[in-house]
Amino acid sequence: MMDGMEDVLPSETNGTKSGRSDTVDLNDSTLQVDISDALSEREKVKFTVHTKTTLPDYAKPEFSVVRQHEEFIWLHDRFDENEDYAGYIIPPPPPRPDFDASREKLQKLGEGEGSMTKEEFSKMKQELEAEYLATFKKTVAMHEVFLTRLAQHTVFRNDHNFKVFLEYEQDLSVRTKNKKEKVEGLFKSFNKSTDEILLAATQKDVDDYFEREKTFLLEYHMAIKDATTKADKMTQAHKSVADSYIQLSSGLSQLGTIEGPRLEKFINKVADTFEKARKVEGRVSSDEDLKLSDTLRYYVRDGSAAKDLLYRRLRCLANYEQANKNLDRARAKNKDVHAPVDVADAELAQQNACEKFEHISNKAKEELNDLKARRVTAFKKNLIELAELELKHAKAQAQLLKSCLQSLPEE
Amino acid sequence: MRLYLIVSASPSLCPGDNPQATHLPRAWAPLARPPPHGSRLTADLFSTNPGALKSPVSEQTTTPEDQRSPEDPLTPPPPAASLTPEPHNPGTPPDLFESVAEGPVVVQGGSPKLSSVPLDLPAGGNGGEGKQQEQEEPQGPVEAALSIEGEGEGDVTSSDLIPDPSSNPVPPPALLHDPPNFLGDTDTTEVSLDDGKTKAEGDGGDEFIQITVSDPQKIGDGMSSYMAYKVTTKTNVSYFRKKHWSVMRRFSDFLGLHRKLVEKHLHSGRVIPPAPEKSAIGTTKIKLGSDKNADSGSLDFIERRRAALERYMNRTSTHPTLRADPDFREFVELDAELPRATQTSALSSAGVLRLLNRVGETVNKMTFKMDESDQWFEERTQQIESLDAQLRKLHASMERLVNYRRELALSTAAFAKATAVLSSVEEHSSLSRALHQLSESTERTQTIHHAQADADFYVLSENTKDYIQLISAVKDVFHERVKTFQTWQHAQITLAKKREAKAKAELAGRMDKVQQAQEEVTEWEGKVERSQEEFERISRAIKKEMEQFDVMRVKDFRDMVIKYLEDLMTSQQQIIKVWETFIPEAKAIS
């Protein structure tokens, strides 16, 4: 369906796919996409996708549409299925907005309401709301990153489906797959993975480079997935520590009122300090989450996409070799001139396969290198930011504790 | 038992009497009546000055401490004043008390009656010694009183005087100064009577005692094995033989000590620091496990116990009265193994008895509602209750904090490992290096978190738990008071009945019965008076004790919180260092 794209392909090698820059200078046309607003309803989140463009293809220079998560997935699938994009790493789709954890916590809090004081309860509620908000912001950010990557990709941005996604004012009526389709989808992915395994076992890659890449990617993928899970656990634990400070702080203030004048001031100061410390700890936790876990997670997904790319290439290679075989067979069978058609067909098939393969290989090489570079940059940036933030928070806490200790009146 | 006969509480004797003046007569008066309650007697015993106690005591005293008496500056009248039998008074044979008293030595200090008894009684030898002793202790007014008594004793000389009840450490003069002093337990020589408050702390001046419990060792094997701990004491308190020494003790020894202290002192209204609890599971694990297999769980348990024992010893030693208690002294000093405190075992008959007693007491606590006339007690009781509840809540949230932080340490460690793996897989060399650094930094923060969790636990959580237990010891003391109130009420009721009976008998003209009824009435009148005095005494004692307790509690709490905050701050500073070293590495990624 994207025949037009083929023409576009060769010319646009200006691959400035820098992470988050808003504009890619390309033939004076810009395409800026962002999510300007988001609304969270009971089960769904509605994103307002806002586009600013100078591309002639679009009807208006600036417009917005409302999209839901499923429509993002639909878009991704369209890219994924498109054979023309076989040589590219398709940007990984954003994860489902998941508020379950927050909701569960909120519910637990509601149940335990009786056992805490009003202040404690309101504080914890505030914390939970903040958490909810943070999750919300994250999911918006992920959807946005997905779109931005597409918009900046020299090839993808011109995709017709993408245009439809951005422009079509009404609902794309992407119904979630019904049972049959879900089952189909399951089969497909099952097939795919068995194929992958089969290929991995049988198909020898002609190119060493790709062979190495494959091994590397596999290993890396596993390691990074593991690291992500652990990082998540760590930030969770950090958050729990911060939250438990709340109870400590309020317990202390209550103790203060009982103790009476002698200890009250002292205790109140301490309780206050704990409260402030908690906020800092909470921020440490969320920063860790943002910088560390998210980076890791993103590259898990990107790595996954890269793996997909390699798979496609391998598949293509298999097809190519198959086509070669067919051609040989056809040629062998058709020594006589009677069935040139078969040979011709086979030849054509072989040629196509060959082209495809070459094309994919080249593109893949580029993409993989690109991925590496992107990864390194992203990690660098985020690790630096992580370290600086951790440092800042630790300093803040140390300072807080120091001033508390100094201010405690000596008796 | 001779003692009993000699020293009887005579209701007629009033405290205000010039002790010396009426020694002789008073001394003899009591002889007439046998004390109604053995325990009462002991109380009386206490009123005698320590000096008096000396002679009989010395015979009976088993503790070496007596020999030390001359040097013992602590033998001050104040301690004497303190009704607790422990009086540092070497003269005071704690053992004497124990032999005499059935169980708890009722310290009666304040009651006027007591004053009557003592002074005269000291046996001649005693008297002499007593005098001598007093002379050695040049302490304030009480001292003077004592010496007066001493002299009084001298006069009395009563070689025949029974050795005496002088166990009563409280010299009559003390009675004058009543409350402040006696609980004064001040080992210090303070004799200031009124300002009991500060002095009572007894941590007088430069007295210093510090106990450490260390080196837990498993002795023996299998079910008969036990944990022994080294108890090291550093002190400059004079009545201890050395300045610095250690002994080995096993866990049941600690429990035995606690039990003895409770028996001796609870009735005087003292708050006895509670001992660490027994734990069947932990102990069995230790018994059955071998040294090599000591897993972190049982190591943790041992460490917890060791720390708890140390805190227990230090709290007990801070209390001046308890510190001077002969049992306590023996515990810290005696170089040999202490006799097995078999009764601490839960299954022994004594243990079962104790359990039953406790149950009975609990029921009593719940059912008897005392008519509280004293505002102070009313308030304090309420405060104690709410403090208890609040501390428990606080403790629960502290435990949660400890758990979360431990989890944090664990998950950080897991992350560090995963990052190390990632770094080894990563092809880009400087990124790989940076990741490796990240892994190491995280490893370091993990250690910090772990240490902080330990601090959370030992400094904050365990101390709070101790306080919860202390509060229940306080509640026990309050309950003792309620019990004496009950006794008093009961005595009053019985007195009324006896009076009625007498009146009836008189009406009926049954002279013989009247005589008997009269005797009973008098007897019960005595009881009423005594139980009232007992009640008042314990009320005063508790008030004093509570003041001291409060001061100590506040100080401890502050110290604990400050230490914790300092630990927290150190952790943060360490974290700062970790990240500071990481940043340049991250920046170096090319």
Side-chain angles (χ1 to χ4, degrees):
Chain A
M1 62 179 137
M2 307 287 133
D3 308 50
M5 292 307 130
E6 309 243 14
D7 311 331
V8 179
L9 271 176
S11 58
E12 281 156 276
T13 33
N14 187 353
T16 40
K17 295 192 222 63
S18 54
R20 313 252 186 281
S21 60
D22 284 343
T23 54
V24 175
D25 237 23
L26 219 49
N27 304 340
D28 274 4
S29 49
T30 61
L31 181 63
Q32 268 171 292
V33 184
D34 62 79
I35 298 188
S36 57
D37 198 10
L39 190 62
S40 164
E41 289 179 5
R42 274 195 49 91
E43 280 299 324
K44 324 183 264 206
V45 184
K46 294 209 164 92
F47 301 94
T48 309
V49 180
H50 166 250
T51 322
K52 231 158 89 162
T53 177
T54 59
L55 282 175
D57 295 344
Y58 292 88
K60 297 184 269 191
E62 189 166 343
F63 49 88
S64 299
V65 290
V66 175
R67 292 283 172 253
Q68 288 185 28
H69 176 73
E70 289 82 17
E71 292 165 318
F72 284 78
I73 302 298
W74 170 85
L75 183 61
H76 171 261
D77 286 345
R78 298 286 80 69
F79 276 101
D80 207 24
E81 292 166 351
N82 191 336
E83 293 209 357
D84 294 333
Y85 299 142
Y88 297 91
I89 294 183
I90 315 288
R96 266 193 65 91
D98 180 18
F99 297 109
D100 288 341
S102 284
R103 238 179 262 139
E104 228 184 272
K105 275 202 205 167
L106 202 57
Q107 203 182 22
K108 247 196 265 173
L109 181 66
E111 285 167 10
E113 183 173 353
S115 68
M116 356 181 178
T117 63
K118 271 188 88 178
E119 298 120 26
E120 232 183 285
F121 179 72
S122 63
K123 268 195 217 149
M124 295 208 77
K125 191 144 162 280
Q126 262 179 16
E127 266 305 304
L128 276 182
E129 284 173 356
E131 218 181 284
Y132 188 88
L133 196 62
T135 322
F136 187 70
K137 280 203 191 134
K138 262 218 274 188
T139 187
V140 168
M142 303 232 203
H143 284 75
E144 194 175 71
V145 161
F146 173 66
L147 289 181
T148 334
R149 256 183 93 176
L150 288 175
Q152 288 155 16
H153 196 282
T154 46
V155 177
F156 295 151
R157 75 209 318 235
N158 296 310
D159 183 281
H160 175 75
N161 283 322
F162 189 47
K163 185 152 166 295
V164 167
F165 179 89
L166 289 178
E167 255 193 333
Y168 192 60
E169 267 159 31
Q170 280 155 28
D171 212 2
L172 286 177
S173 18
V174 174
R175 51 179 171 65
T176 45
K177 308 178 176 167
N178 59 22
K179 242 198 195 154
K180 177 158 163 277
E181 284 177 350
K182 273 205 184 114
V183 173
E184 272 179 24
L186 259 170
F187 263 135
K188 227 171 92 180
S189 59
F190 183 63
N191 278 339
K192 178 162 170 248
S193 25
T194 40
D195 199 26
E196 247 182 275
I197 299 176
L198 201 61
L199 273 183
T202 55
Q203 187 68 33
K204 179 74 179 71
D205 202 324
V206 293
D207 193 339
D208 249 355
Y209 171 79
F210 282 102
E211 197 60 32
R212 262 181 299 123
E213 281 299 309
K214 191 173 68 170
T215 340
F216 166 71
L217 264 184
L218 279 170
E219 254 187 81
Y220 190 78
H221 186 78
M222 272 185 43
I224 202 173
K225 227 161 83 168
D226 191 38
T228 313
T229 341
K230 304 273 161 62
D232 274 342
K233 257 175 124 177
M234 188 172 79
T235 48
Q236 261 311 99
H238 227 130
K239 189 96 204 330
S240 312
V241 169
D243 283 345
S244 66
Y245 275 11
I246 297 184
Q247 287 161 327
L248 203 57
S249 158
S250 75
L252 276 175
S253 355
Q254 282 183 307
L255 190 65
T257 45
I258 299 180
E259 283 279 359
R262 233 176 335 195
L263 272 184
E264 196 169 357
K265 262 203 309 198
F266 175 84
I267 289 189
N268 281 336
K269 278 217 180 76
V270 177
D272 203 32
T273 311
F274 269 116
E275 178 61 25
K276 296 205 187 93
R278 159 183 86 86
K279 294 219 175 76
V280 178
E281 282 278 344
R283 251 173 264 143
V284 170
S285 156
S286 58
D287 283 341
E288 266 181 8
D289 191 31
L290 212 56
K291 301 291 168 197
L292 197 55
S293 313
D294 278 356
T295 314
L296 289 171
R297 229 194 309 271
Y298 191 74
Y299 281 96
V300 169
R301 290 206 298 275
D302 230 10
S304 214
K307 271 179 26 175
D308 282 348
L309 167 63
L310 284 183
Y311 163 70
R312 283 196 295 270
R313 184 180 156 281
L314 221 47
R315 172 89 263 150
C316 197
L317 178 61
N319 290 343
Y320 176 42
E321 295 198 344
Q322 187 66 30
N324 269 340
K325 284 202 200 104
N326 285 345
L327 181 60
D328 287 341
R329 239 184 301 143
R331 285 213 182 112
K333 267 204 313 201
N334 294 293
K335 290 281 169 55
D336 52 351
V337 209
H338 292 307
V341 188
D342 286 345
V343 179
D345 278 344
E347 271 185 3
L348 198 57
Q350 191 256 18
Q351 239 181 332
N352 278 345
C354 180
E355 267 176 33
K356 240 187 173 172
F357 178 66
E358 307 261 309
H359 168 67
I360 283 188
S361 296
N362 291 339
K363 253 319 168 212
K365 262 207 187 113
E366 268 178 40
E367 290 275 309
L368 284 173
N369 286 336
D370 193 54
L371 171 65
K372 263 192 249 203
R374 257 187 301 132
R375 187 175 71 225
V376 172
T377 334
F379 265 84
K380 175 170 177 188
K381 175 162 163 282
N382 284 318
L383 282 177
I384 294 181
E385 285 180 2
L386 171 72
E388 287 177 347
L389 281 170
E390 293 259 13
L391 194 60
K392 185 173 115 193
H393 292 316
K395 280 199 178 135
Q397 253 204 57
Q399 184 55 33
L400 174 69
L401 290 166
K402 196 150 141 210
S403 60
C404 175
L405 278 168
Q406 279 170 348
S407 75
L408 288 176
E410 287 308 8
E411 203 154 274
Chain B
M1 295 316 279
R2 306 177 290 160
L3 295 170
Y4 286 160
L5 293 179
I6 296 182
V7 184
S8 65
S10 147
S12 53
L13 298 172
C14 54
D17 286 5
N18 208 342
Q20 56 274 55
T22 43
H23 284 195
L24 195 48
R26 264 193 281 163
W28 292 110
L31 283 179
R33 14 212 261 78
H37 306 282
S39 52
R40 287 272 160 272
L41 249 195
T42 41
D44 301 339
L45 293 184
F46 300 142
S47 43
T48 28
N49 73 31
L53 293 179
K54 216 109 138 263
S55 59
V57 177
S58 20
E59 293 147 24
Q60 309 180 4
T61 309
T62 53
T63 52
E65 281 104 66
D66 293 344
Q67 276 90 51
R68 281 184 279 130
S69 51
E71 336 139 341
D72 192 348
L74 295 180
T75 354
S82 85
L83 303 177
T84 38
E86 15 98 331
H88 324 272
N89 237 336
T92 334
D95 306 313
L96 175 62
F97 294 157
E98 298 204 2
S99 52
V100 168
E102 313 112 31
V105 184
V106 178
V107 183
Q108 304 250 0
S111 45
K113 292 188 275 191
L114 301 177
S115 47
S116 49
V117 180
L119 312 184
D120 326 315
L121 303 185
N126 248 1
E129 280 168 2
K131 211 188 207 153
Q132 182 188 16
Q133 201 179 0
E134 279 127 43
Q135 284 155 4
E136 281 157 10
E137 304 146 23
Q139 294 141 358
V142 176
E143 192 55 318
L146 248 193
S147 25
I148 295 181
E149 271 157 82
E151 284 149 13
E153 287 163 5
D155 303 344
V156 179
T157 339
S158 44
S159 18
D160 27 309
L161 282 190
I162 325 120
D164 129 2
S166 47
S167 14
N168 201 327
V170 175
L175 297 176
L176 300 177
H177 325 292
D178 194 12
N181 263 346
F182 7 124
L183 298 187
D185 319 300
T186 42
D187 332 290
T188 45
T189 50
E190 352 196 340
V191 204
S192 67
L193 310 175
D194 34 5
D195 189 14
K197 192 196 290 215
T198 41
K199 311 294 194 163
E201 282 167 323
D203 247 336
D206 9 319
E207 296 231 324
F208 157 81
I209 178 166
Q210 188 199 13
I211 302 188
T212 38
V213 174
S214 54
D215 299 340
Q217 294 164 23
K218 182 169 165 194
I219 315 265
D221 240 339
M223 282 312 288
S224 64
S225 68
Y226 59 89
M227 292 303 295
Y229 303 85
K230 183 155 113 178
V231 178
T232 311
T233 319
K234 284 200 190 89
T235 178
N236 64 6
V237 169
S238 46
Y239 53 77
F240 287 110
R241 262 178 306 187
K242 299 183 261 185
K243 296 255 175 255
H244 181 181
W245 72 95
S246 321
V247 293
M248 294 298 287
R249 291 281 175 259
R250 49 187 294 182
F251 187 67
S252 52
D253 292 340
F254 289 86
L255 294 183
L257 172 68
H258 174 72
R259 198 176 54 83
K260 287 193 205 137
L261 290 178
V262 163
E263 276 177 10
K264 287 198 268 179
H265 298 269
L266 190 63
H267 304 264
S268 1
R270 294 203 196 293
V271 179
I272 320 281
E277 292 165 348
K278 290 174 85 70
S279 153
I281 302 177
T283 319
T284 319
K285 258 208 312 199
I286 307 250
K287 284 192 203 246
L288 298 180
S290 75
D291 277 332
K292 310 204 179 57
N293 300 349
D295 59 348
S296 65
S298 45
L299 279 179
D300 246 356
F301 171 78
I302 295 180
E303 176 55 27
R304 264 182 93 158
R305 185 165 265 201
R306 182 207 68 79
L309 286 172
E310 192 171 288
R311 288 195 303 269
Y312 165 64
M313 290 308 292
N314 276 311
R315 268 204 202 97
T316 313
S317 66
T318 323
H319 197 298
T321 318
L322 298 181
R323 173 159 72 215
D325 181 302
D327 270 321
F328 178 77
R329 286 190 284 186
E330 186 185 49
F331 182 89
V332 294
E333 276 192 320
L334 191 59
D335 225 348
E337 260 190 43
L338 289 182
R340 281 296 308 277
T342 47
Q343 292 166 330
T344 55
S345 154
L347 295 177
S348 71
S349 55
V352 173
L353 259 181
R354 259 205 315 274
L355 190 62
L356 288 176
N357 272 341
R358 238 206 315 258
V359 171
E361 285 221 11
T362 323
V363 173
N364 190 359
K365 270 190 200 173
M366 295 192 292
T367 50
F368 181 77
K369 254 308 163 207
M370 174 168 149
D371 219 357
E372 187 59 77
S373 53
D374 191 340
Q375 178 68 3
W376 188 91
F377 274 95
E378 180 93 26
E379 284 174 9
R380 278 328 286 267
T381 318
Q382 273 191 349
Q383 191 200 27
I384 295 283
E385 290 288 330
S386 38
L387 201 59
D388 190 28
Q390 191 51 36
L391 276 177
R392 276 179 211 273
K393 246 178 87 175
L394 196 60
H395 180 248
S397 46
M398 282 174 185
E399 296 224 297
R400 249 181 307 228
L401 174 64
V402 171
N403 283 336
Y404 284 139
R405 219 190 279 275
R406 288 219 164 113
E407 227 183 86
L408 177 63
L410 282 172
S411 55
T412 313
F415 177 70
K417 287 204 190 80
T419 315
V421 169
L422 188 62
S423 121
S424 64
V425 172
E426 174 66 58
E427 341 173 275
H428 187 103
S429 60
S430 59
L431 180 57
S432 166
R433 236 193 342 262
L435 284 174
H436 185 73
Q437 251 326 90
L438 180 65
S439 162
E440 280 190 9
S441 308
T442 332
E443 182 66 34
R444 260 175 274 150
T445 44
Q446 181 266 117
T447 327
I448 297 176
H449 284 309
H450 191 78
Q452 180 57 44
D454 276 345
D456 283 351
F457 185 66
Y458 287 111
V459 174
L460 221 47
S461 170
E462 289 280 271
N463 266 314
T464 312
K465 181 138 157 254
D466 281 353
Y467 265 92
I468 294 176
Q469 287 177 321
L470 262 174
I471 298 264
S472 65
V474 170
K475 288 212 261 191
D476 281 346
V477 162
F478 274 63
H479 187 67
E480 281 299 310
R481 176 174 169 271
V482 172
K483 282 204 301 200
T484 53
F485 184 80
Q486 274 180 292
T487 322
W488 181 25
Q489 296 293 63
H490 172 74
Q492 282 182 325
I493 293 176
T494 324
L495 177 63
K497 281 203 214 135
K498 298 290 178 194
R499 284 203 175 126
E500 248 186 59
K502 173 164 158 233
K504 267 204 227 147
E506 279 175 352
L507 277 180
R510 306 276 309 276
M511 287 325 292
D512 53 337
K513 282 247 165 102
V514 172
Q515 172 66 8
Q516 185 190 2
Q518 174 62 43
E519 280 177 7
E520 285 183 355
V521 167
T522 333
E523 178 192 335
W524 278 94
E525 277 176 354
K527 282 192 188 169
V528 167
E529 246 192 80
R530 270 197 300 280
S531 55
Q532 179 175 13
E533 278 172 17
E534 172 73 11
F535 175 71
E536 284 169 4
R537 185 190 58 80
I538 201 176
S539 302
R540 280 192 297 267
I542 291 183
K543 283 192 184 168
K544 190 112 215 247
E545 191 70 10
M546 287 308 294
E547 278 165 5
Q548 181 180 351
F549 176 74
D550 271 345
V551 173
M552 175 183 75
R553 181 167 64 86
V554 166
K555 177 169 174 309
D556 266 3
F557 186 77
R558 289 179 60 96
D559 286 346
M560 167 182 99
V561 172
I562 289 183
K563 174 150 194 332
Y564 178 69
L565 289 177
E566 285 177 350
D567 279 344
L568 211 51
M569 188 169 81
T570 325
S571 300
Q572 291 299 322
Q573 284 169 337
Q574 287 171 327
I575 293 184
I576 289 179
K577 285 212 191 69
V578 167
W579 288 109
E580 275 177 350
T581 44
F582 177 70
I583 286 191
E585 281 291 336
K587 291 204 169 129
I589 302 177
S590 57

